[in-house]
Amino acid sequence: MQLDLLWVVSQEEEPGRAAGTKAVGLALLDLWKRRGGPHFWKSSAPWHGTSPHASVLQEAGLVAVDVGIARFRRYDEPTESPQEYWLSLTAVGRRAIDGFDPMS
């Protein structure tokens, strides 16, 4: 799972833009379906099926997790719950998947 997640993040991120957990979660599901694996997914904001693996990879220094920025609100407005986090590979994470083929 961890190598799959690293690989999917590498495919979903773009220069100057991290990969959103929504897109990463859907891409993981697609990858596993193509392998003939499970065809179900538990997706809930803000991790969308990428946690706890993304947390473990963050602790290992392989993935950077950005929770976004705060939004201004009036004092009497409730605080919004995050809907998505942003993932990007670190240099160590890129080395970890060097040569990794998710379909083999």
Side-chain angles (χ1 to χ4, degrees):
M1 168 62 183
Q2 278 91 352
L3 285 176
D4 289 344
L5 181 56
L6 289 173
W7 185 82
V8 167
V9 169
S10 76
Q11 301 302 300
E12 293 294 323
E13 68 180 348
E14 297 176 10
R17 188 182 71 80
T21 51
K22 288 179 185 178
V24 170
L26 289 172
L28 276 171
L29 176 59
D30 182 60
L31 173 63
W32 293 340
K33 282 182 178 180
R34 286 187 284 143
R35 284 187 189 154
H39 294 214
F40 62 89
W41 194 252
K42 180 179 176 177
S43 176
S44 59
W47 288 104
H48 299 287
T50 64
S51 187
H53 305 287
S55 299
V56 171
L57 295 172
Q58 180 185 24
E59 291 169 9
L62 300 168
V63 169
V65 177
D66 185 350
V67 297
I69 59 172
R71 294 198 175 117
F72 288 106
R73 61 181 178 83
R74 290 185 356 198
Y75 72 93
D76 60 344
E77 292 178 327
T79 304
E80 296 177 1
S81 297
Q83 294 302 305
E84 186 170 18
Y85 289 150
W86 305 95
L87 307 173
S88 57
L89 292 185
T90 65
V92 176
R94 290 190 197 293
R95 285 193 301 272
I97 60 166
D98 187 36
F100 175 68
D101 178 4
M103 296 308 289
S104 63

